[in-house]
């Protein structure tokens, strides 16, 4: 018998709620495992099978009418069986599942993603999705765009920056700085980008687009979510994960733990001594404190 929502409220003890949450977490874990078993498909089936899929479709194949109808006379039904449809890989699922992983697990996932259809090897960036070729128009408006443009396999800056943010949050500094040199605006070719590298775009045309003259071009400049991700990345690079902490004596302390590669620095060519040539970086903390 199928239970429908009645709208009635009930009170639960904290112990009951804790038990419910544990059951929910167990079901979520089982669901993630099932998603991996069902898999997804992209540029490389073997690689895609170990990357967490983002989306599935569900078609009801067996149902039972409830006897009720809506205002237009259509019957309400209860789904009894569904057929699961698979979609190509999307970067969103990768960025989200990486939040739940430790560094070792994230490093393994990173290597698989790098070999998948999410990687644009020509631009050395990551696209919003792998190829959508052959997908039904029921998938949505993304199928209305050419490959490499907007929501169809372009480099969605907001999403790719979310992925880069997860790399540095996991302490994968070598991988992060390698990707930063080709995938983040301060380091890309401004002529190819087509606008100031200080200006975020909605998306970057990927090499999947039909016209090679557009590869790497930034389109629809705007203050996108990539700006927020960039600020979070900056904080981790220059300040560290935890600015304030309690010491062994229980007192509040502030600590700066920057993570910066040597290649970001230039030696002072006008230095008069070895000491003057040391790498120095400066920024303002809380808009007024000079840090060097």
């Amino acid at each position: 018998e199928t239970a429908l929502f009645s709208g009635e409220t009930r009170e639960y003890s904290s112990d009951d709620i804790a038990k419910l949450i544990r059951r929910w977490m167990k079901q979520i874990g089982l669901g993630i495992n099932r998603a991996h078993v069902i898999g997804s498909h992209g540029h490389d089936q073997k690689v895609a099978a170990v990357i967490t899929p983002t989306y599935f479709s569900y078609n009801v194949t067996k149902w039972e009418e409830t006897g009720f109808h809506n205002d237009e006379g259509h019957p309400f039904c209860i789904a009894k069986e569904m057929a699961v449809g698979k979609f190509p890989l999307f970067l969103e699922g990768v960025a989200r599942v990486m939040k739940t992983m430790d560094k070792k697990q994230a490093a393994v996932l990173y290597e698989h993603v790098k070999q998948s259809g999410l990687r644009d090897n020509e631009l050395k960036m990551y696209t919003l999705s792998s190829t959508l070729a052959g997908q039904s128009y029921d998938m949505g408006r993304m199928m209305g765009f050419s490959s490499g443009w907007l929501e169809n396999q372009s480099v969605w800056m907001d999403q790719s920056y979310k992925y880069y943010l997860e790399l540095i949050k996991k302490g994968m500094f070598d991988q992060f700085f390698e990707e930063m040199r080709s995938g983040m605006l301060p380091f890309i070719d401004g002529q190819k980008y087509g606008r100031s590298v200080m200006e975020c775009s909605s998306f970057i045309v990927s090499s999947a687009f039909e016209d090679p003259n557009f590869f790497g071009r930034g389109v629809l400049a705007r203050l996108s979510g990539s700006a927020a991700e960039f600020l979070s990345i900056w904080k981790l690079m220059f300040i560290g994960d935890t600015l304030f902490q309690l010491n062994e004596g229980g007192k509040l302390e502030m600590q700066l733990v920057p993570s910066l590669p040597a290649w970001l620095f230039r030696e002072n060519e006008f230095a008069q001594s070895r000491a003057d040539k040391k790498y120095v970086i400066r920024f303002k903390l809380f808009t007024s404190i000079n840090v060097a």
Side-chain angles (χ1 to χ4, degrees):
E1 182 178 351
T2 303
L4 302 176
F5 291 105
S6 66
E8 297 179 1
T9 60
R10 291 180 57 183
E11 291 186 3
Y12 290 90
S13 67
S14 57
D15 289 339
D16 289 336
I17 292 175
K19 291 177 182 177
L20 281 173
I21 292 175
R22 284 194 291 269
R23 289 172 57 190
W24 293 341
M25 293 299 293
K26 182 179 180 180
Q27 287 300 316
I28 291 172
L30 292 172
I32 292 173
N33 291 337
R34 285 196 299 271
H36 277 285
V37 171
I38 296 172
S40 186
H41 60 86
H43 178 72
D44 186 324
Q45 181 67 33
K46 292 182 179 178
V47 172
V50 297
I51 299 174
T52 301
T54 305
Y55 302 113
F56 293 100
S57 65
Y58 298 90
N59 292 320
V60 178
T61 56
K62 186 177 180 181
W63 62 90
E64 181 180 289
E65 295 188 10
T66 64
F68 297 98
H69 297 76
N70 64 11
D71 294 338
E72 296 179 352
H74 300 300
F76 289 113
C77 300
I78 297 175
K80 294 294 186 179
E81 292 181 5
M82 294 185 183
V84 181
K86 298 181 291 185
F87 286 132
L89 292 172
F90 283 80
L91 191 60
E92 181 177 359
V94 174
R96 288 182 178 273
V97 78
M98 195 173 278
K99 295 175 181 286
T100 69
M101 294 179 168
D102 58 30
K103 182 178 178 179
K104 184 177 180 180
Q105 292 171 324
V108 172
L109 177 60
Y110 166 79
E111 292 299 332
H112 285 304
V113 172
K114 196 172 183 179
Q115 300 300 318
S116 76
L118 292 171
R119 174 81 170 181
D120 187 322
N121 290 318
E122 181 162 337
L123 297 180
K124 295 183 179 179
M125 297 179 180
Y126 293 88
T127 54
L128 179 69
S129 69
S130 58
T131 177
L132 302 182
Q135 295 299 307
S136 167
Y137 277 89
D138 289 338
M139 195 173 187
R141 74 174 195 174
M142 61 183 64
M143 296 303 299
F145 302 113
S146 299
S147 297
W149 191 269
L150 265 172
E151 295 169 22
N152 188 340
Q153 206 182 351
S154 75
V155 178
W156 206 257
M157 285 191 62
D158 182 18
Q159 192 61 63
S160 59
Y161 273 37
K162 285 181 181 178
Y163 181 56
Y164 299 145
L165 175 59
E166 289 308 312
L167 296 181
I168 192 172
K169 285 173 70 174
K170 289 291 182 267
M172 298 165 57
F173 300 114
D174 291 341
Q175 296 92 327
F176 168 76
F177 288 117
E178 177 188 346
E179 298 295 348
M180 184 177 78
R181 299 183 80 161
S182 61
M184 297 186 70
L185 287 187
F187 304 96
I188 68 174
D189 183 350
Q191 292 295 322
K192 181 182 290 187
Y193 185 57
R195 60 182 74 251
S196 169
V197 293
M198 299 291 289
E199 189 175 64
C200 290
S201 297
S202 178
F203 69 95
I204 296 175
V205 182
S206 76
S207 63
F209 193 61
E210 59 185 353
D211 188 346
N213 294 317
F214 281 83
F215 292 179
R217 179 73 58 86
V219 182
L220 298 178
R222 64 189 180 93
L223 187 62
S224 73
S226 47
E229 271 82 52
F230 187 84
L231 288 174
S232 297
I233 290 170
W234 182 93
K235 173 184 174 294
L236 292 171
M237 289 176 61
F238 287 83
I239 296 176
D241 183 46
T242 306
L243 181 58
F244 297 101
Q245 65 177 6
L246 296 177
N247 62 20
E248 295 179 355
K251 292 185 178 180
L252 186 66
E253 288 184 341
M254 186 183 80
Q255 64 172 1
L256 297 173
V257 187
S259 302
L260 299 165
W263 56 262
L264 273 177
F265 298 84
R266 292 180 180 176
E267 288 190 356
N268 181 5
E269 57 184 299
F270 303 106
Q272 300 297 315
S273 66
R274 182 181 296 274
D276 292 336
K277 287 187 176 182
K278 66 181 181 179
Y279 296 152
V280 176
I281 193 164
R282 295 179 175 88
F283 67 93
K284 281 193 175 183
L285 184 64
F286 305 135
T287 72
S288 60
I289 303 173
N290 289 311
V291 179

